[in-house]
Amino acid sequence: MINSIGSQSYAVQQTRSNVGKVEQTAITTSKSSENTNNLDTRQNALSFIENATPEELEAKVNSLVGREPSMASINLREIMNSDNENELVGRIGRLKGQIEQESRSVLNQEQDLISLGRAEGKSAKDILISIANMQDEQSDLYKMSMNWGNKGLSSPENHEKLVKLTPNYVNYYA
């Protein structure tokens, strides 16, 4: 499943006002910007964990309980600007089932970490750190599809990894 297809990259920045309220500001990158996806969900998650109030951390953990699996994030601009857009779409399409399976597995692990952490009396911050550490241990495919400390599936920097993940793909467009 692909949950995010966008023609532009967005960066989300959290800022604090004097009253401690967290605001999210979406900054659209210009069309002339470099052809990369600037969203790093790992960096955003760790920044949130370090800077959020205990109430914000608890709200975040609560928002994770019972949620649906995450889906791949694809940067359409990278695909459309590549010399091999049909190949990229074909290769990513071949990985859809594997991405969905890994996302469900990660979600189950996340839910287990939340349940166990709460049963052990861990703080919301400690639970979120456990979840981040668990995501660090996932496959390259999962991390690329979630932009977890990694450029996305369609990123030119990851093309070689994408080719290795889809060895049976035949590029009819070559």
Side-chain angles (χ1 to χ4, degrees), residues 1-15:
M1 247 192 285
I2 299 173
N3 81 340
S4 174
I5 297 179
S7 61
Q8 295 184 356
S9 300
Y10 293 91
V12 176
Q13 177 181 13
Q14 294 182 345
T15 57

Side-chain angles (χ1 to χ4, degrees), residues 7 10 24 32 34 59 83-84 94 103 115 122 129 135 147 152 164 172-173:
S7 61
Y10 293 91
Q24 290 192 353
S32 63
E34 187 178 326
D83 293 336
N84 54 351
R94 291 277 174 105
S103 293
S115 296
K122 289 185 176 180
I129 289 171
Q135 290 192 4
N147 291 353
K164 286 180 182 176
Y172 294 107
Y173 304 100

Side-chain angles (χ1 to χ4, degrees), residues 101-112:
Q101 181 180 4
E102 288 192 42
S103 293
R104 282 190 299 276
S105 173
V106 169
L107 176 64
N108 290 337
Q109 292 174 56
E110 175 185 282
Q111 299 301 300
D112 290 345

Side-chain angles (χ1 to χ4, degrees), residues 7 19 28 42 53 56 62 69 71 78 90 138 157 161:
S7 61
V19 294
T28 306
R42 182 182 190 279
T53 65
E56 293 166 336
N62 289 338
M71 295 175 275
E78 287 177 340
Q138 301 308 311
E157 291 89 345
K161 287 181 184 177

Side-chain angles (χ1 to χ4, degrees), residues 12-153:
V12 176
Q13 177 181 13
Q14 294 182 345
T15 57
R16 289 201 178 275
S17 67
N18 290 338
V19 294
K21 180 181 174 187
V22 174
E23 299 173 357
Q24 290 192 353
T25 307
I27 303 167
T28 306
T29 59
S30 70
K31 291 189 185 270
S32 63
S33 69
E34 187 178 326
N35 184 22
T36 59
N37 190 343
N38 298 321
L39 178 66
D40 180 345
T41 55
R42 182 182 190 279
Q43 181 181 3
N44 291 342
L46 294 178
S47 176
F48 175 79
I49 291 168
E50 290 305 314
N51 297 310
T53 65
E55 294 81 17
E56 293 166 336
L57 294 166
E58 188 63 38
K60 179 62 177 175
V61 172
N62 289 338
S63 76
L64 296 175
V65 174
R67 71 180 185 85
E68 294 293 317
S70 297
M71 295 175 275
S73 175
I74 307 296
N75 184 333
L76 267 183
R77 180 183 289 158
E78 287 177 340
I79 292 174
M80 292 170 46
N81 290 335
S82 74
D83 293 336
N84 54 351
E85 68 183 82
N86 292 323
E87 176 192 0
L88 281 173
V89 170
R91 288 184 184 279
I92 292 169
R94 291 277 174 105
L95 295 169
K96 179 183 175 208
Q98 188 176 346
I99 292 169
E100 289 174 353
Q101 181 180 4
E102 288 192 42
S103 293
R104 282 190 299 276
S105 173
V106 169
L107 176 64
N108 290 337
Q109 292 174 56
E110 175 185 282
Q111 299 301 300
D112 290 345
L113 287 171
I114 292 170
S115 296
L116 183 61
R118 286 186 167 168
E120 293 175 352
K122 289 185 176 180
S123 70
K125 183 175 186 173
D126 289 338
I127 292 171
L128 291 171
I129 289 171
S130 296
I131 291 170
N133 289 337
M134 176 269 300
Q135 290 192 4
D136 283 342
E137 297 170 3
Q138 301 308 311
S139 73
D140 281 343
L141 174 60
Y142 177 82
K143 290 189 272 191
M144 284 189 305
S145 67
M146 300 302 151
N147 291 353
W148 187 260
N150 208 317
K151 302 266 184 192
L153 285 167

